[in-house]
Amino acid sequence: MAASRMKGKFLGGGIPFGYQLDEKAHKLVPHPETAEEVRFIFNSVLEEKSVVPVLAQLEKRGIVLRERKCKNGRVLPARPISRAQLYHIIHNPLYIGKVLYKKKIYEGEHDGIVSIETFEAVQKLLNNGRKMYETVRKATPGILRGLLFCEACGSPMVPIYGKKKNTKHFYYICRKCREEGYKSCPTRTVRQREFHLALVAEMDKNGVINRTLFEKLSEYEQEETLKSVICRIGYEYQESKITVVLRSGTEFSFCANVKPHSGPWKRSELAARKATKQPKVDKTLYKQPLAL
């Protein structure tokens, strides 16, 4: 697999972290400094059994993503390694001399940085953590559990789901409303999917996370990533206002339509819905020509 095919497959383009381009041979070769940092990352994950303390160690040692130039000529400055980027590094078969291309793994033309045994041990560790998460959270998934709070009463908003025509629909609900009834707090339920999409889009807009990388993570990794950068999310039901407080101390707010329809439907609304629906076709109209 040519080195040119690997460009753009890692962290938004450019030379992958831990490598440099040998212009004479036209292939990637391990960078003498950052390759050691990659080995440190893999070994630290195995030692700590988690990525959270590894991020703290990287910050303490000053291990960051180097300045790089994108294909469009834009120069990205050096910056700390985020949790999403760290997950991308330790999941990437590039570091054992292979290349992921169109969801298939091929032998690469470059040398690996870590051993196959170390890489597989890290994958096994992460898979065990993911299975444990899926077992605990299978009934009511919600990546904002513990982060989302009702601004009206200060209670946490917990994930729930409802069934309609054998289909599960997932929401967040104010805990006070759930325990004491809807009259106890003006905040009711919000749709999970719309809330997640709006939040991730706004965080990507503010440069907090990379939306493309984040959407590739598993649900377990997404929750862990959000907990590493977000301190609190407040939701104001009346104005549909979402306020995000980051662990760095910065704060931003935005509005999003995440409320479910608060039934019952009014007669005028029902009439309008019926008017927009396509009329049912009389099946006998097209069965007669077939019979002839």
Side-chain angles (χ1 to χ4, degrees):
M1 184 69 63
S4 60
R5 283 191 178 184
M6 288 184 281
K7 293 181 180 180
K9 296 294 180 182
F10 191 82
L11 301 181
I15 305 301
F17 180 70
Y19 284 94
Q20 61 185 357
L21 183 63
D22 187 343
E23 296 182 356
K24 293 183 179 180
H26 296 287
K27 69 175 186 178
L28 295 178
V29 295
H31 191 280
E33 296 180 5
T34 55
E36 287 298 325
E37 294 175 352
V38 170
R39 296 188 188 98
F40 172 78
I41 289 174
F42 276 86
N43 292 331
S44 297
V45 172
L46 289 178
E47 292 176 5
E48 300 291 346
K49 310 296 183 184
S50 173
V51 299
V52 177
V54 176
L55 286 170
Q57 291 185 33
L58 296 181
E59 183 178 359
K60 185 177 180 180
R61 288 172 174 259
I63 298 177
V64 298
L65 296 176
R66 301 297 193 268
E67 179 183 289
R68 58 190 177 86
K69 187 176 182 180
C70 299
K71 291 182 179 180
N72 58 7
R74 180 187 176 191
V75 177
L76 297 179
R79 63 196 189 282
I81 298 176
S82 67
R83 180 176 292 213
Q85 291 162 342
L86 179 60
Y87 274 118
H88 196 72
I89 290 173
I90 57 184
H91 278 308
N92 201 330
L94 181 92
Y95 296 108
I96 55 173
K98 300 181 184 294
V99 176
L100 180 63
Y101 184 69
K102 291 186 177 180
K103 298 183 179 181
K104 293 184 180 180
I105 297 178
Y106 301 90
E107 290 292 336
E109 297 178 355
H110 63 289
D111 297 328
I113 293 179
V114 299
S115 66
I116 296 178
E117 293 77 14
T118 300
F119 183 83
E120 290 179 347
V122 170
Q123 307 314 306
K124 184 178 179 180
L125 175 67
L126 297 175
N127 288 335
N128 289 339
R130 188 180 299 111
K131 288 178 182 178
M132 185 181 299
Y133 167 86
E134 291 173 351
T135 301
V136 175
R137 305 295 175 96
K138 187 176 181 180
T140 52
I143 61 175
L144 302 183
R145 188 195 307 263
L147 295 175
L148 183 58
F149 292 84
C150 167
E151 292 285 34
C153 67
S155 301
M157 297 189 69
V158 295
I160 60 169
Y161 71 89
K163 274 189 176 182
K164 185 177 181 180
K165 296 182 179 179
N166 295 325
T167 302
K168 287 185 178 181
H169 300 273
F170 296 91
Y171 308 90
Y172 290 107
I173 185 173
C174 172
R175 180 179 289 175
K176 189 174 182 180
C177 284
R178 186 179 185 183
E179 295 176 352
E180 302 178 19
Y182 283 119
K183 293 182 180 180
S184 61
C185 180
T187 301
R188 298 190 178 184
T189 57
V190 294
R191 298 186 296 262
Q192 272 198 29
R193 184 175 182 275
E194 284 80 356
F195 202 106
H196 295 166
L197 291 175
L199 175 66
V200 172
E202 195 68 21
M203 292 182 68
D204 179 72
K205 180 181 176 181
N206 285 272
V208 180
I209 61 173
N210 185 307
R211 183 176 182 177
T212 304
L213 290 178
F214 183 82
E215 291 176 346
K216 292 180 181 180
L217 300 177
S218 66
E219 188 177 329
Y220 165 74
E221 293 167 345
Q222 287 181 352
E223 181 174 347
E224 290 295 300
T225 299
L226 292 177
K227 285 182 177 179
S228 69
V229 296
I230 297 177
C231 180
R232 186 182 188 276
I233 303 172
Y235 178 68
E236 191 173 335
Y237 187 82
Q238 302 295 339
E239 299 180 6
S240 299
K241 183 180 177 182
I242 301 171
T243 303
V244 182
V245 182
L246 303 178
R247 294 192 178 276
S248 61
T250 57
E251 179 181 321
F252 59 88
S253 301
F254 62 99
C255 294
N257 182 21
V258 294
K259 298 178 185 177
H261 182 271
S262 55
W265 292 91
K266 296 180 181 179
R267 290 185 178 181
S268 58
E269 292 176 339
L270 288 173
R273 282 171 59 85
K274 289 180 180 179
T276 56
K277 286 185 177 180
Q278 295 291 334
K280 292 184 178 180
V281 179
D282 187 358
K283 294 182 179 180
T284 57
L285 295 178
Y286 61 83
K287 282 186 177 180
Q288 288 177 356
L290 291 176
L292 294 175

